[in-house]
Amino acid sequence: MSPPDAGPSRRVADVDGVPMSALVAEVPRPRAVVVALHGGATTAAYFDAPNRPRLSLLRTGSALGFTVIALDRPGYGASAARPDRTATAEARVDLAYGAIDGLLASRPRGAGVFLVAHSLGCELAVRMAASGRGGELLGLEISGTGRHYQPPAAELLGSRFRGGPPPAPLAGTVRDLVWGGAHLYPEGIAGEAGILVSGAAYEGAVVRAWPRDFPSVAAGVRVPVRYTVAEHEGVWRAGRAGLADVAAMFTAAPRVETAEQAGGHNLSLGLSARAYHLRVLAFAEECALARERQSAGSAAGDATAEPAIPP
């Protein structure tokens, strides 16, 4: 086991013949395990920006007593060579859970596993939380996703999906929408080695379908949810309307919290990343406390139950 101050290490778990890579910041007795899922055309380094430890979710989380795992999502990192095994949503959910189990093995999980996801990573995280194993999770934080696109994003993405002519200059490019507001980010961070890569082949279909599928998948989530929208979000509807759009979809979640965070779409790489991560980890701590109270209540109920009368 790595000492707490050693920094994240790169590890690979074999999941039924598919290598799943991750960055891991491990502590000996974790409060809980935070699993982070990056967005499209990025890697696990999104959560551990090179040469900027203050912005790192992995380093902040481990300093506060959490083991943090930033997975390379299916189709990225070591699994990029196996596109045949990452084509369906069900397969990707199974691979992600298998990677968590393989990376943790017999290591302690504390109160349990909490998911953090950004942008396209939210599709995987919400599906994981709505799956048969979703009830095992402590909770879920999502950002950089939504129910409705901002008008420029809708125009730009709609044109790309239809294969039509380029949209009006006002719509810009996907990069402009995602990285708009240079003052919100450290200089040069988008060019850091290891953060930006080519996207996985299946993601075009995910981008097209997710606004339609999101409500039905979200309705199956039965753990606490926190949704954060960036103040300067360029892709998804922001502000109170955007927060309300998403919160209303998690109809079965016992708790839904929403927040607006100073920054742009890529919150974990922005100048406000540390503030954002501290708020996420505070929510994870609350979810861990809720799970402990639930477990204690169940144990007390079992202890006070009257013994069964033999037939």
Side-chain angles (χ1 to χ4, degrees):
M1 182 179 294
S2 302
D5 59 352
S9 61
R10 188 163 184 81
R11 301 182 190 174
V12 178
D14 182 277
V15 183
D16 297 327
V18 179
M20 292 290 294
S21 51
L23 292 174
V24 181
E26 186 177 9
V27 298
R29 293 177 295 279
R31 180 71 180 101
V33 175
V34 174
V35 175
L37 303 171
H38 62 85
T42 60
T43 70
Y46 175 85
F47 293 106
D48 188 49
N51 306 312
R52 293 176 173 86
R54 185 175 177 80
L55 306 186
S56 170
L57 172 64
L58 285 95
R59 297 168 195 268
T60 299
S62 59
L64 293 174
F66 295 88
T67 286
V68 186
I69 298 173
L71 281 182
D72 284 317
R73 286 191 294 114
Y76 288 86
S79 68
R82 296 301 308 272
D84 58 309
R85 298 286 299 276
T86 62
T88 69
E90 293 77 10
R92 296 191 293 271
V93 167
D94 290 343
L95 285 171
Y97 272 121
I100 294 168
D101 291 341
L103 290 165
L104 290 173
S106 60
R107 291 176 168 87
R109 301 188 180 202
V113 173
F114 180 89
L115 292 185
V116 179
H118 174 252
S119 198
L120 274 176
C122 296
E123 182 260 352
L124 175 59
V126 176
R127 290 188 186 279
M128 290 174 69
S131 72
R133 291 189 60 177
E136 302 172 13
L137 299 172
L138 293 176
L140 171 69
E141 153 73 23
I142 54 176
S143 68
T145 191
R147 181 70 178 89
H148 300 287
Y149 288 117
Q150 297 269 23
E155 181 183 357
L156 175 60
L157 296 173
S159 176
R160 291 183 61 167
F161 295 154
R162 293 189 301 269
L170 180 62
T173 67
V174 173
R175 184 181 176 88
D176 293 336
L177 296 175
V178 171
W179 288 99
H183 64 287
L184 302 171
Y185 300 95
E187 184 177 356
I189 195 164
E192 290 282 3
I195 293 180
L196 300 183
V197 296
S198 298
Y202 64 81
E203 289 186 328
V206 172
V207 171
R208 288 190 292 273
W210 185 234
R212 180 193 68 226
D213 294 346
F214 195 179
S216 61
V217 180
V221 175
R222 289 175 168 78
V223 295
V225 176
R226 185 177 191 269
Y227 170 59
T228 303
V229 68
E231 180 184 6
H232 299 285
E233 173 63 55
V235 180
W236 301 98
R237 179 184 290 175
R240 293 183 179 179
L243 293 170
D245 282 343
V246 173
M249 294 188 290
F250 289 93
T251 53
R255 174 186 178 189
V256 180
E257 181 176 301
T258 62
E260 183 177 76
Q261 175 67 51
H265 178 80
N266 290 307
L267 284 174
S268 290
L269 294 176
L271 294 171
S272 63
R274 185 173 179 85
Y276 169 60
H277 294 152
L278 288 171
R279 292 184 175 111
V280 170
L281 293 167
F283 185 71
E285 171 68 21
E286 292 174 356
C287 291
L289 286 170
R291 178 62 56 86
E292 289 173 342
R293 287 195 297 268
Q294 181 183 39
S295 298
S298 297
D302 291 342
T304 59
E306 294 187 10
I309 298 175

